[in-house]
């Protein structure tokens, strides 16, 4: 039987811990805040998923070494922009033969590195041990045990299968794949596209407008992902269009909801103050844009979202800039 460690007690980390436990994999979670750890040990996480009653095989600790001890699957579910800092503190405790799973969907600011690259660099984890889990997995729906599927991608088929077996719960179906790059890029970029779709909704635009943004956003994602070595088929699957649709259209998506408020005229700081959260796309849009420019990839939607987040462009100005671009044939 596998044993898992989950580093991070936020919404998705907690939901995935429940998935692992429901699949028969005992879990020890690591949390930074003692009060959240105490809640988890009482069978709940009131701060993030109050509706979820955790299985008894999920426990938590504030000690990273205790969480990691004996685990053959280690799941990293911390905010992407804090990954380097966290691994610098406790990356050395990760077991040397464990599969190291990234649930994070972002590109690091300043370095434009993907999360798997940060894991390899800081924690010394070999590429073959890194596994990326991504798909249309809204945490609150997973917590409610609504059926969902996801991609489990690794360069090592053995590691991908180890993780897939550990999380194959009755309501959660994993599909193994080898395209780590494509899976990560799809997961990161969809957050930025969801901001744009939310902005359109906040402006009062309808489904035609939102579908247009989603489709052209998928084209941008595919261009960038394949330029970096990802496989085009990945973007037509669960980690690509599946996750994109869920994140862009669901009111449960933080990126979508954040974008709606921007479209309604609120400033970024105002939305953060109201929601007490910063959506991942807000943090990653600049690094994704820098990554695209470094590889000569045209990403107009991402560019306009970044202009709004960093330079204060209004939603109306962003819309006008996109609609006034030179026309061309749709070739992807």
């Amino acid at each position: 039987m596998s044993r898992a460690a989950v580093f991070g007690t936020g919404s998705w980390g907690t939901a995935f811990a429940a998935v692992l436990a429901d699949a028969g994999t005992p879990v020890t979670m690591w949390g930074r805040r003692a009060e959240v750890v105490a809640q988890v040990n009482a069978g709940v996480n009131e701060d993030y998923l109050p509706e979820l009653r955790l299985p008894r095989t999920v426990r938590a600790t504030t000690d990273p070494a205790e969480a990691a001890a004996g685990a053959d699957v280690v799941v990293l579910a911390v905010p992407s922009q804090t990954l380097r800092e966290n691994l610098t503190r406790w990356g050395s405790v990760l077991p040397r033969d464990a599969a190291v799973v990234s649930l994070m969907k972002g590109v690091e600011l300043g370095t434009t590195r993907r999360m798997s690259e940060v894991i390899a660099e800081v924690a010394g984890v070999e590429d073959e041990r890194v596994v990326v889990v991504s798909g249309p997995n809204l945490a609150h729906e997973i917590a409610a045990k609504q059926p969902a599927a996801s991609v489990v991608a690794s360069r090592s088929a053995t590691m991908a299968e180890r993780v897939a077996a550990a999380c194959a719960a009755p309501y959660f179906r994993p599909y193994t794949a080898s395209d780590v790059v494509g899976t990560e890029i799809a997961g990161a970029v969809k957050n930025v596209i969801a901001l744009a779709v939310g902005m359109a909704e906040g402006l009062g635009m309808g489904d035609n407008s939102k579908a247009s943004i989603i489709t052209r956003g998928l084209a941008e994602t595919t261009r960038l992902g394949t330029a970096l070595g990802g496989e085009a088929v990945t973007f037509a699957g669960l980690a690509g269009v599946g996750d994109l649709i869920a994140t862009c259209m669901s009111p449960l998506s933080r990126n979508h909801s954040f974008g709606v408020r921007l479209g309604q005229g609120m400033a970024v700081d105002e939305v953060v103050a109201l929601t007490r959260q910063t959506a991942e796309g807000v943090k990653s849009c600049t690094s994704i844009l820098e990554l695209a420019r470094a590889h000569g990839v045209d990403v107009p939607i991402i560019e306009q979202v970044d202009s709004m987040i960093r330079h204060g462009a209004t939603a109306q100005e962003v819309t006008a800039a996109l609609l006034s671009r030179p026309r061309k044939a749709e070739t992807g």
Side-chain angles (χ1 to χ4, degrees):
M1 176 188 296
S2 290
R3 198 186 79 73
V6 175
F7 282 76
T9 54
S11 298
W12 186 209
T14 302
F16 196 72
V19 169
L20 288 162
D22 287 339
T25 305
V27 180
T28 302
M29 301 184 72
W30 170 82
R32 178 179 54 84
R33 295 164 54 200
E35 61 271 27
V36 177
V37 165
Q39 290 176 19
V40 171
N41 285 327
V44 295
N45 188 336
E46 295 288 352
D47 285 25
Y48 292 97
L49 287 176
E51 72 274 22
L52 174 64
R53 292 298 173 264
L54 289 163
R56 294 184 177 181
T57 52
V58 176
R59 58 178 297 272
T61 177
T62 57
D63 182 351
E66 181 184 352
D72 56 2
V73 173
V74 174
V75 178
L76 304 181
V78 298
S80 63
Q81 303 303 332
T82 72
L83 177 61
R84 181 177 296 273
E85 175 188 352
N86 276 297
L87 287 178
T88 298
R89 290 205 310 268
W90 44 251
S92 61
V93 308
L94 306 185
R96 291 298 164 187
D97 57 353
V100 180
V101 181
S102 171
L103 297 187
M104 298 158 293
K105 298 178 178 180
V107 172
E108 189 178 41
L109 285 164
T111 68
T112 68
R113 284 182 171 83
R114 293 174 284 108
M115 296 297 99
S116 65
E117 294 175 312
V118 177
I119 292 168
E121 177 188 341
V122 181
V125 177
E126 303 88 348
D127 289 343
E128 290 72 21
R129 289 200 292 126
V130 177
V131 182
V132 177
V133 173
S134 190
N137 300 144
L138 297 162
H140 287 273
E141 292 187 1
I142 299 296
K145 304 189 191 310
Q146 295 184 12
S150 197
V151 171
V152 177
S154 176
R155 294 185 182 180
S156 165
T158 300
M159 288 297 179
E161 182 53 40
R162 178 190 295 185
V163 174
C167 68
Y171 54 91
F172 190 84
R173 182 175 177 84
Y175 288 83
T176 58
S178 60
D179 184 13
V180 171
V181 174
T183 301
E184 285 190 292
I185 290 299
V189 177
K190 58 94 182 183
N191 290 323
V192 184
I193 306 306
L195 286 171
V197 172
M199 290 178 200
E201 184 170 316
L203 285 167
M205 297 180 187
D207 291 337
N208 288 338
S209 302
K210 290 182 283 187
S212 298
I213 296 169
I214 291 171
T215 306
R216 296 313 304 165
L218 179 61
E220 292 189 19
T221 308
T222 304
R223 284 198 300 270
L224 178 57
T226 53
L228 294 170
E231 301 170 12
V233 67
T234 298
F235 303 97
L238 288 165
V241 68
D243 200 10
L244 182 66
I245 291 170
T247 307
C248 286
M249 298 301 291
S250 174
L252 295 175
S253 161
R254 280 182 294 181
N255 291 280
H256 171 87
S257 299
F258 202 104
V260 169
R261 291 186 169 95
L262 292 177
Q264 291 170 340
M266 296 180 69
V268 172
D269 290 346
E270 291 176 316
V271 183
V272 172
L274 176 67
T275 62
R276 293 183 294 178
Q277 294 179 337
T278 301
E280 187 64 67
V282 172
K283 293 184 176 181
S284 291
C285 64
T286 299
S287 52
I288 293 171
L289 178 59
E290 290 173 353
L291 185 62
R293 286 175 172 169
H295 289 82
V297 178
D298 185 32
V299 287
I301 296 174
I302 297 169
E303 184 175 357
Q304 290 303 319
V305 170
D306 181 71
S307 74
M308 189 170 185
I309 299 300
R310 277 205 302 164
H311 304 298
T314 66
Q316 291 87 347
E317 289 169 340
V318 164
T319 302
L322 288 171
L323 290 175
S324 63
R325 296 179 71 244
R327 294 186 302 274
K328 62 180 181 178
E330 185 181 37
T331 57

